[in-house]
């Protein structure tokens, strides 16, 4: 399957320049000063970034690379946290940054046609003028692109209400490794005309083709939003609260923070301490709706009933949009984690909610039995089974990364969980994939990849 590695040569650069022009090429310092990782400084090893500005240019670049056996790594906003955008010495980078227009908003059909390099935030801002929302929402939305979120099947904060990216894409266009343009720009809600080809590319992490354009499904923008940060006495209360919250038609987020996470963030000196850090669990619960008064009454009733049932030890209810944003700052504090822990191995796993507490305890026990120093931070979108765990095992955390991963992924497997909930496999988790999917499923994945990109030229080191 693997193609022989090809060095980057002058004629490669000249050929690419012939397709995209001088403005479409970055070389030398312009490449070396970029990072392929949002949290670490990891410049591309190769020396070329090609920036096509149309689907036609993407197609010609890939056809040219295909003919030379040249490997290509696709870049969106480089916010991915699975190492999928890392590029080796024998790989050139194809960036969608110059292909970022919002082409058309259909306010009646409630969809938007966008080019893959558009950021999530740019799309959200553009459709807001028509009272519409593209509901995929994540902390990195200012940089993460539509192409990147499609390639990773991004989840984010509001999956409990609107699902992952997979559920919010109506159609897309992609270019295969040999330059073939595949148009599946469906705008129809119902379309059972054969295989749903777009779904192949969603979550394929750039291994099956380069996503160039997409038709995104929009929803009416909610006009009301309420949120509360709750402290809970035990995990049984968290589960009980989740069951009650899921019965609210307006539920838009249910984020859980274990005390190790909350204490670290609340004592970071960054003003993220709406409740004292004395409780074992914290939940940020949010509702969004279309009838402010009714939504507020319903949310207050939910909180009142949970309080009367003894589920809530302490609470802050936001009274304004500004206060809701303040509560979200507690949950979205990745820069605090980076600054305080220095180095940590980051996990993005899925565990059934009823097994989550036992998983966290078993993972901590497994780590403690193996490493002398162990510090964890645990939080996540429990409403959709997703837990994030950060693990620090001392100054040599990064050199012992694989040991830490082996330890935690064994516990994930024992608990019937998934290796990745939303960040993808990328380069970081590829060695663990075969242990976490069935041999039959892995075989289908290999066959599909080899049918579309027999030489594995696209994102060669990603997935398997
Ligand atoms: C602060 C922060 C918060 C985050 N929160 C979340 C979260 O809540 N939920 C979540 O799911 N993720 C989250 N992420 C991860 C990240 O934002 C997502 O994975 C996002 O989808 C990556 O988009 P990108 O444009 O940055 O892609 P990149 O990082 O550039 O690429 C990611 C992968 O997709 C491939 N790719 C990129 N563009 C294309 C394309 N057009 N065609 C084919 N392949 C392509 C790349 O080769 C790579 O393998 C977060 C990251 C940060 C830094």
């Amino acid at each position: 399957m693997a193609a022989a590695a090809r060095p980057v040569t002058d004629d490669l650069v000249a050929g690419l320049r012939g397709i995209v022009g001088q403005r479409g090429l970055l070389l030398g310092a312009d490449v070396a000063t970029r990072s392929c990782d949002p949290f670490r400084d990891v410049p591309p090893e190769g020396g070329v970034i090609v920036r096509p500005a149309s689907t036609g240019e993407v197609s010609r670049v890939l056809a040219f690379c295909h003919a030379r056996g040249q490997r290509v790594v696709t870049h969106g906003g480089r916010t991915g946290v699975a190492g999928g955008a890392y590029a080796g010495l024998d790989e050139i980078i194809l960036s969608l940054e110059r292909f970022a227009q919002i082409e058309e908003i259909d306010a009646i059909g409630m969809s938007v046609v966008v080019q893959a390099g558009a950021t999530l935030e740019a799309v959200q801002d553009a459709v807001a003028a028509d009272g519409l929302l593209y509901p995929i929402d994540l902390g990195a939305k200012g940089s993460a692109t539509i192409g990147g979120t499609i390639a990773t099947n991004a989840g984010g904060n509001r999956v409990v209400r609107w699902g992952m990216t997979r559920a919010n894409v109506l159609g897309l266009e992609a270019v295969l490794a040999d330059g073939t343009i595949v148009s599946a720009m469906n705008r129809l809600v119902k379309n059972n005309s054969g295989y749903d080809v777009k779904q192949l590319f969603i979550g394929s992490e750039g291994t099956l083709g380069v996503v160039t354009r997409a038709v995104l499904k929009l929803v009416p923008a909610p006009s009301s939003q309420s949120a509360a940060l709750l402290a809970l006495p035990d995990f049984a209360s968290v589960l009980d609260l989740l069951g009650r919250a899921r019965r609210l038609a307006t539920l838009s987020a249910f984020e859980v923070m274990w005390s190790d996470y909350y204490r670290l963030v609340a004592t970071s000196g960054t003003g993220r301490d709406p409740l004292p850090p004395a409780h074992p669990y914290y939940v940020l619960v949010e509702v969004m709706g279309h009838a402010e008064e009714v939504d507020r009454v319903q949310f207050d009733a939910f909180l009142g009933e949970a309080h009367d049932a003894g589920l809530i030890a302490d609470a802050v209810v936001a009274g304004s949009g500004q206060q809701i944003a303040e509560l979200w700052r507690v949950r979205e504090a990745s820069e605090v984690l980076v600054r305080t822990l220095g180095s940590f191995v980051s996990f993005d796993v899925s565990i059934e909610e009823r097994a989550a507490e036992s998983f966290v305890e078993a993972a901590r026990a497994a780590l403690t039995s193996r490493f002398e120093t162990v510090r964890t931070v645990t939080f996540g979108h429990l409403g959709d089974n997703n837990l994030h765990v950060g693990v620090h095992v001392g100054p040599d955390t990064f050199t012992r990364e694989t040991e830490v991963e082996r330890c935690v992924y064994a516990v994930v497997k024992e608990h019937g969980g998934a290796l990745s909930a939303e960040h993808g496999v990328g380069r970081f988790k590829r060695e663990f994939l075969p242990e976490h999917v069935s041999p039959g499923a892995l075989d289908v994945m290999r066959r599909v990849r080899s049918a579309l990109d027999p030489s594995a030229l696209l994102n060669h080191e990603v997935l398997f």
Side-chain angles (χ1 to χ4, degrees), residues 63-87:
F64 173 74
C65 290
H66 187 257
R68 300 172 58 98
Q70 172 61 51
R71 291 176 183 161
V72 178
V73 170
T74 305
H75 273 191
R78 296 172 287 126
T79 66
V81 285
Y86 284 32

Side-chain angles (χ1 to χ4, degrees), residues 38-39 73-81 84-85 96 116 137-140 143-145 147-149 151-157 205-206 209-212 334 381 422-423 459 462:
F39 298 125
V73 170
T74 305
H75 273 191
R78 296 172 287 126
T79 66
V81 285
L96 275 302
D137 194 23
L138 19 123
S143 305
T145 62
T149 52
T152 56
N153 185 27
N157 301 331
E205 301 191 42
V210 174
V211 176
T212 42
S334 50
H381 323 282
E422 59 179 6
H423 294 161
N459 284 9
V462 169

Side-chain angles (χ1 to χ4, degrees), residues 378-459:
T378 315
F379 58 105
H381 323 282
L382 189 72
D384 49 51
N385 306 135
N386 187 179
L387 291 187
H388 296 303
V389 187
V391 180
H392 174 82
V393 295
D396 54 354
T397 296
F398 282 146
T399 49
R400 303 186 75 183
E401 191 160 2
T402 308
E403 249 181 286
V404 174
E405 287 171 337
R406 277 196 194 297
C407 202
V408 174
Y409 287 137
V411 183
V412 171
K413 196 170 177 194
E414 278 162 24
H415 284 74
L419 175 70
S420 168
E422 59 179 6
H423 294 161
V425 173
R427 289 186 173 215
F428 295 166
K429 295 168 218 165
R430 57 178 284 183
E431 69 172 285
F432 299 102
L433 185 67
E435 294 160 31
H436 287 263
V437 295
S438 72
L442 190 62
D443 182 49
V444 170
M445 291 187 210
R446 286 189 198 285
R447 287 205 229 178
V448 171
R449 184 174 191 172
S450 127
L452 296 190
D453 182 12
S455 304
L457 294 176
L458 299 182
N459 284 9

